[in-house]
Amino acid sequence: MRTLLVLALTACATEDLVAPTVDDDPRLPALDINGTRLHVDIRGPDGAPAIIFLHGGPGGDFRYALELGDATAPGALVADHRLVFWDQRGSGLSRRHDRGDISIDHYFADLVALVDAVSPDRPVVLVGHSWGGAYAAWYLAHHPDRVRGAVLIDPQALTHSLYVEAGTAADFELFGEWLTDPLWQRTIISPDDHARADFLLASLELYRIPRFHNDIIAPLFRPGAVVFRDLAFRWFEDTPYDFTPGLADFPRPITILAGTDDEVLGYDFQKKQLPLFRDATLVPLPGDGHNDPVGVSARRTIELVRAYLDEVEP
Amino acid sequence: MRLAVIAICVASTAHATPLAPAADERIVYGELAFDGAPSTTIGFVAGVPRAGERLTLAWWTDATWVAGDLDIEDNRLRVGAGIDAFRTGRVRVRGGLAAASRATANTGYRARAVSTELHLDASVVVRRWAFQLETALEQTWATYVEPSSTYRELVYANAEAGWHAMTARTTRVGLAAGVRLGDVELVARAGWQDTGTIEFLPAVYASLGLDYRF
C-alpha cells in the first residue's frame, strides 16, 4: 500500500512524454488566428516577400522540413524571403483541438487567415509537401490573387479518385511489427487523451513507411492524433473530395517536384496530376523518396525553388 | 459434470475468466487471437477441490505474446480466479478477477504495465454447445515507460523514463461459442473492444481457441 501511495504521488504525467504545445509553453512563437493558436516560425529578413511552407499529413508538422530554411545553402531562400513555417491546426506544437474543431473547412479558413496575417499587402509563394501540396493547390484555386506562385512537392492526390488510384504507403502484413506493435500497445497506453494518443502515434511514425522509400525517418515535433484520425485517415478515405475546381484558371506557372523513388505520390503519379493545372512543370528528383526533398535533399530543392522564384518574381 | 466442463472451456481463453472446473479437473488451453494485435496464448486452469461442485471456484494462469515476428517482448502474463455468482439449470453467471502484467517494446518506447481485469460473463449450455455473453474491464494501475533513444532523437529530447499511473483502460463486450468434441473444446469469440476516445484502429477483438482437459 505504501508503495502504491508513493507511486500515486510521484507518477509522471503522460504529458511529459510529448513536447509542450503553444498552450503549454508561452515561449514558443505563436499566432492566434481563426479561433486557434498556431506554432509559427518565421525566418528571414523583416519585410521580405513571404514563402509559406505547408507540411504534410494532415497531422504532421514542419520540423522535418526545417532544412529548407538552411541559410548556408546555395541560393538560400531565407536570404531574401521570409520563410514561414507553421504547424497546422491540432498538430505539431500548435494548439490541440477536439473533434468538433478539426475539419477540412477549419483548415481552409486557417490558411486564408494565415496568409492574410503574415502577408496582408502582397501575394505569397506557397511551397507545399504531400498533403501540404494539395492544401496549397486548394488555396491557389480559390484565392489566385493572393498567390504569386507555388512549388508543390510530391503533392497529395487532388481528387478522391486519384487518391484511390495512388494507393496506400504501407504494405499490408498481418503479422508485421509495424502493425502489431501499435495494435498491442493500446492496452498498455490507451489513446484516451491527447498526450497519450499523440505519443502512441509518434511511436508509429518512427517506422519506415515502405512505399515512400524515404532515406531517413523524418523528425517531428508531435503528431496530431485527432487530426490524423479525422482528416488523414477518415476524411480522405470516405469523402469524394475534389480540389480541382478553379485550379486550371490559376494564371501563373507552378512547379511540381516529384521524387522518382516514391511509389505512391512520386514522379509517375504526378504525371497524372500535371494536366489538372494550366501551366505546370513537372521536375523529377532522381533517387528521392517521399520526404527526402524537404529533408536529406533539401539543398537541391532550395536550388530548384530559387530557380522557380527567379522565373515568377519580378 | 459435463456442463461444468463445457463452461470451463468456453471461458478459458484469453478474454474471459476460466471458471468452475470440477474438483478433479485440469485444463490446458491455447488460443490464437486478435487481441489488439494478433497474439498467441497458452494457459492452465484448475479447480479448487475444497470448494466443492456447487461453488465451482477455479484459478488460472496464462501467457500471451504477440504473434508478429514472434515478438515475445510484446507479452502478457496473468493469474486469476473466478467463481459462480449465479447458477441455475443451464444458465450461469460468473465473475472473476485477475492480475496481469503487460509489456511492449517498439521503436518509440518500452513499457511494462501492472493491471487488473474484472470479468462478468453469462453462459448457457445446450448439449455439446455453449454460448456466452462476456464483459471485461481491464485497468492498468502503474506503467513504467522508457522512451527509446530514437524517440528522443527524432521526436522529443526531454522525454524521460518513469512510472505513470493509469495509462490504459480497456473494456470488452463480446460473444463466445464453444463446441465439445470428446476431450477437446473448440471456442470462437468476438466482440467490441474500447481502448480510448481518440482511437483510430479497429475496436474489435476475436479469437479461436482449443482446450483440452485431463
Side-chain angles (χ1 to χ4, degrees):
Chain A
M1 180 59 78
R2 187 175 173 182
T3 304
L4 284 175
L5 280 173
V6 170
L7 175 65
L9 292 172
T10 60
C12 310
T14 44
E15 285 79 4
D16 297 340
L17 293 170
V18 289
T21 69
V22 288
D23 285 326
D24 307 317
D25 184 353
R27 294 169 301 177
L28 290 169
L31 184 63
D32 291 306
I33 55 166
N34 197 35
T36 190
R37 174 170 289 182
L38 302 175
H39 176 222
V40 177
D41 182 346
I42 302 177
R43 301 177 180 203
D46 290 343
I51 298 174
I52 296 179
F53 178 75
L54 298 101
H55 63 72
D61 60 59
F62 67 72
R63 182 178 171 189
Y64 74 121
L66 282 171
E67 291 296 317
L68 292 177
D70 184 355
T72 67
L77 302 173
V78 292
D80 51 3
H81 289 79
R82 284 180 300 141
L83 190 46
V84 180
F85 292 107
W86 61 294
D87 289 335
Q88 295 160 20
R89 176 182 286 250
S91 59
L93 303 184
S94 290
R95 172 175 292 166
R96 292 175 168 125
H97 286 281
D98 291 328
R99 181 172 212 168
D101 292 322
I102 298 293
S103 71
I104 199 71
D105 291 332
H106 282 100
Y107 265 55
F108 292 157
D110 287 350
L111 183 52
V112 171
L114 179 87
V115 172
D116 288 346
V118 300
S119 185
D121 301 325
R122 54 181 164 180
V124 300
V125 171
L126 301 175
V127 176
H129 172 247
S130 192
W131 145 249
Y135 198 8
W138 173 86
Y139 186 85
L140 61 89
H142 289 80
H143 302 276
D145 55 318
R146 300 290 288 124
V147 183
R148 187 186 307 277
V151 177
L152 312 181
I153 306 166
D154 282 7
Q156 171 66 288
L158 298 173
T159 68
H160 188 260
S161 59
L162 283 166
Y163 174 85
V164 173
E165 197 173 321
T168 61
D171 288 326
F172 186 78
E173 302 170 75
L174 181 60
F175 295 104
E177 274 197 284
W178 72 269
L179 178 64
T180 59
D181 279 351
L183 287 167
W184 180 255
Q185 68 179 350
R186 297 180 300 168
T187 50
I188 296 170
I189 300 175
S190 61
D192 213 17
D193 62 35
H194 284 281
R196 278 186 271 164
D198 296 344
F199 179 65
L200 296 180
L201 186 56
S203 70
L204 176 61
E205 296 214 3
L206 296 178
Y207 287 88
R208 203 173 283 274
I209 302 172
R211 295 182 65 221
F212 276 161
H213 297 284
N214 296 318
D215 280 1
I216 61 168
I217 296 171
L220 66 156
F221 293 125
R222 172 188 72 92
V226 174
V227 179
F228 179 83
R229 181 192 64 180
D230 290 350
L231 289 182
F233 194 61
R234 292 180 179 165
W235 191 84
F236 274 106
E237 288 286 337
D238 301 337
T239 308
Y241 72 91
D242 186 355
F243 286 1
T244 62
L247 202 56
D249 297 329
F250 184 70
R252 287 172 286 284
I254 70 156
T255 285
I256 300 174
L257 308 179
T260 57
D261 286 5
D262 178 357
E263 283 187 70
V264 185
L265 300 172
Y267 184 68
D268 289 340
F269 178 74
Q270 298 308 332
K271 290 177 186 172
K272 300 170 186 170
Q273 303 221 94
L274 193 62
L276 301 172
F277 299 88
R278 174 192 285 186
D279 183 5
T281 303
L282 177 59
V283 180
L285 303 174
D288 271 4
H290 186 63
N291 290 337
D292 299 337
V294 296
V296 294
S297 301
R299 286 195 161 219
R300 175 169 67 183
T301 301
I302 290 170
E303 290 187 44
L304 291 166
V305 174
R306 170 62 67 183
Y308 171 76
L309 293 175
D310 291 344
E311 181 185 346
V312 299
E313 290 185 331
Chain B
M1 169 71 82
R2 183 178 173 188
L3 295 183
V5 170
I6 293 175
I8 295 161
C9 294
V10 168
S12 63
T13 47
H15 293 290
T17 311
L19 286 181
D24 57 347
E25 280 188 332
R26 304 288 183 269
I27 299 196
V28 291
Y29 59 94
E31 183 188 61
L32 291 173
F34 185 80
D35 175 18
S39 61
T40 306
T41 296
I42 55 172
F44 176 74
V45 187
V48 178
R50 291 183 183 177
E53 284 289 325
R54 192 69 187 162
L55 193 57
T56 57
L57 179 67
W59 69 270
W60 51 273
T61 185
D62 63 20
T64 299
W65 62 96
V66 170
D69 299 334
L70 291 176
D71 195 352
I72 57 172
E73 288 187 300
D74 291 340
N75 61 62
R76 178 188 63 189
L77 302 170
R78 294 192 305 182
V79 59
I83 193 167
D84 282 0
F86 173 77
R87 182 176 179 178
T88 177
R90 296 176 172 180
V91 177
R92 306 170 72 178
V93 177
R94 299 182 295 278
L97 182 65
S101 163
R102 284 182 178 262
T104 189
N106 55 56
T107 46
Y109 67 97
R110 309 172 72 89
R112 179 164 289 279
V114 178
S115 62
T116 55
E117 292 182 29
L118 193 61
H119 298 260
L120 189 63
D121 309 316
S123 64
V124 60
V125 178
V126 182
R127 298 183 180 176
R128 295 164 52 200
W129 291 87
F131 304 93
Q132 178 167 281
L133 170 66
E134 56 192 27
T135 61
L137 172 65
E138 179 178 357
Q139 173 70 58
T140 67
W141 297 104
T143 306
Y144 188 78
V145 182
E146 183 180 3
S148 68
S149 58
T150 303
Y151 182 83
R152 290 195 180 102
E153 178 192 348
L154 295 177
V155 185
Y156 184 41
N158 295 329
E160 293 183 2
W163 285 96
H164 298 260
M166 301 174 72
T167 56
R169 178 180 297 136
T170 306
T171 53
R172 296 188 178 95
V173 177
L175 295 170
V179 61
R180 182 181 171 189
L181 305 168
D183 293 335
V184 173
E185 220 77 27
L186 280 174
V187 182
R189 57 184 3 117
W192 172 79
Q193 170 179 288
D194 178 58
T195 50
T197 55
I198 312 178
E199 183 58 272
F200 47 85
L201 295 168
V204 294
Y205 72 86
S207 70
L208 196 59
L210 193 66
D211 309 315
Y212 176 73
R213 67 187 170 93
F214 58 96

